[in-house]
Amino acid sequence: MMTLSKLAKLAHVSLSTASKAFSMSSEVNEDTREMIFDIARENGCFKKFYNAKYPKLVVAVICPEFKSRYYSSLVSGIQQSLSQMGCEICVASTDFSPKKHEELYDYYNNYSNVDGIILVDCVNDDMAENNVPVVTKGKSNGKMVSVSSNTSAGIKLALDYFLSKNIKDIGFVGESHTQPRLQIFREYLIENHIKVNEDYIAVSNGRMEVGGYEAAESMIKRNAVPRAILCAYDCMAIGVIRCLLDRGLRVPEDVAVIGINNNRESEFLNPSLSSVDLCSEKIGEEMSKAILNKIMGVETPSEIIIEPRLILRKSSEI
């Protein structure tokens, strides 16, 4: 694939000069510009790099949804980082549909004029970079640059905290999109020779705060409330805590609760919510750097992993 860096080498100019030529910068004289353009036309990549009508690079961001605070904050972080680098973004949502994901990827990869694509979760292991540089969040399929948070390590941090307090009655609250986190939860308890009590696991049909409330209510109705609950994400944890308090249980005195994602409002709740910080802002920053490097032809690591942190607050004080 022809990159701007390769084209600059063919034209015997610097990468900066090639970039400025295509953005119609006055710093590049006309003879040099036309020479670069001629080489680009010969190599069939003039349209790919020519951006005179709109001098900024444009990156397409394909995201599962915007409803959850995690994804909205991640996209916001990407936008902020790329804006600081002089780029713009266009954003599309798949609503968790693999078919829609592939359709959008095909459109941006083959029919639009975007300079790069960021996939916020790659749903197809066979998906590979084609006409446009691509960076994906999540586990690498070996065909694209990936940036991911070590979610498994984050879940283990939360469980290790509970175990350090000699709590073994640990429950999990999640929903249909959080099955991978539930699987990590199960496996880690088994590794630590802790029996997985299925009564302490509630997978709600609802999502966000409503889903968390319904899950906690189902635990209470079947008289299966654990001493501690790990929630698949913070919004569900908020619903769990509201339900527990409504039913006369105390948090954390009766039930300790930890969420995942460390949403901004978590520290302002009552009680303030302990959470596994997956560092979404850092992920957005690293994805932005990676896609810009790929667009400019700069060598980029194939996999970047961000380590999580456990942020302890009132909801888990034991």
Side-chain angles (χ1 to χ4, degrees):
M1 181 179 70
M2 179 61 71
T3 65
L4 191 58
S5 178
K6 291 179 182 178
L7 181 63
K9 290 180 181 178
L10 289 175
H12 301 290
V13 298
S14 69
L15 179 59
S16 175
T17 298
S19 178
K20 289 176 181 178
F22 284 105
S23 65
M24 300 302 291
S25 169
S26 60
E27 295 179 38
V28 179
N29 66 57
E30 288 303 313
D31 289 341
T32 301
R33 189 191 321 279
E34 283 306 312
M35 179 268 293
I36 294 171
F37 284 1
D38 286 342
I39 294 174
R41 293 187 185 99
E42 291 171 5
N43 286 272
C45 60
F46 176 77
K47 185 179 178 181
K48 177 179 178 180
F49 298 124
Y50 184 69
N51 208 19
K53 290 183 179 180
Y54 194 74
K56 293 185 179 182
L57 295 172
V58 178
V59 176
V61 180
I62 302 176
C63 185
E65 66 169 5
F66 308 130
K67 296 176 183 177
S68 74
R69 291 166 179 77
Y70 175 72
Y71 286 119
S72 61
S73 65
L74 182 57
V75 171
S76 177
I78 292 171
Q79 190 277 330
Q80 183 176 358
S81 294
L82 285 174
S83 177
Q84 292 172 351
M85 299 173 190
C87 306
E88 296 290 352
I89 70 170
C90 56
V91 187
S93 169
T94 68
D95 197 26
F96 291 99
S97 166
K99 181 180 178 182
K100 183 68 172 177
H101 186 280
E102 292 186 13
E103 287 175 351
L104 285 169
Y105 179 71
D106 182 55
Y107 167 72
Y108 285 119
N109 196 20
N110 297 304
Y111 303 106
S112 75
N113 289 320
V114 298
D115 300 286
I117 301 172
I118 289 178
L119 301 176
V120 180
D121 292 343
C122 183
V123 298
N124 188 341
D125 288 339
D126 294 328
M127 196 169 282
E129 195 172 289
N130 190 3
N131 298 320
V132 181
V134 181
V135 170
T136 180
K137 186 188 80 66
K139 187 177 179 180
S140 173
N141 63 8
K143 301 173 184 177
M144 304 174 185
V145 169
S146 72
V147 181
S148 63
S149 179
N150 192 344
T151 305
S152 178
I155 291 173
K156 292 174 183 178
L157 285 174
L159 295 178
D160 281 341
Y161 170 76
F162 287 143
L163 294 176
S164 73
K165 300 297 182 179
N166 201 31
I167 295 176
K168 297 182 180 181
D169 295 336
I170 308 173
F172 180 91
V173 166
E175 39 104 335
S176 60
H177 295 300
T178 63
Q179 289 295 331
R181 295 183 179 184
L182 173 55
Q183 184 63 24
I184 296 168
F185 170 86
R186 292 180 189 275
E187 291 175 354
Y188 196 62
L189 287 187
I190 292 171
E191 284 178 18
N192 283 272
H193 309 290
I194 307 296
K195 180 181 178 182
V196 179
N197 189 333
E198 296 299 327
D199 288 338
Y200 291 160
I201 295 174
V203 178
S204 176
N205 292 324
R207 302 189 63 217
M208 312 295 180
E209 293 87 349
V210 172
Y213 195 102
E214 292 174 349
E217 196 163 44
S218 72
M219 287 178 167
I220 293 170
K221 285 181 178 178
R222 61 177 186 267
N223 196 29
V225 180
R227 179 63 185 87
I229 299 175
L230 175 64
C231 299
Y233 51 85
D234 284 3
C235 291
M236 293 205 87
I238 292 171
V240 166
I241 291 174
R242 181 71 267 163
C243 180
L244 294 172
L245 296 176
D246 285 350
R247 297 299 182 269
L249 292 167
R250 299 169 300 167
V251 177
E253 292 85 354
D254 297 320
V255 184
V257 179
I258 294 179
I260 298 175
N261 290 343
N262 193 35
N263 292 340
R264 290 182 179 179
E265 66 269 28
S266 296
E267 66 176 303
F268 300 104
L269 301 172
N270 186 21
S272 56
L273 177 63
S274 294
S275 185
V276 176
D277 186 359
L278 297 181
C279 305
S280 60
E281 290 186 4
K282 181 65 174 176
I283 291 174
E285 180 182 335
E286 290 298 327
M287 293 182 82
S288 300
K289 289 179 181 177
I291 194 63
L292 188 58
N293 283 340
K294 292 214 71 180
I295 292 170
M296 302 306 288
V298 178
E299 187 174 347
T300 307
S302 62
E303 188 171 15
I304 301 168
I305 299 176
I306 309 299
E307 292 300 323
R309 304 177 299 159
L310 177 60
I311 309 298
L312 294 174
R313 300 189 179 101
K314 293 288 186 182
S315 70
S316 65
E317 281 189 355
I318 300 170

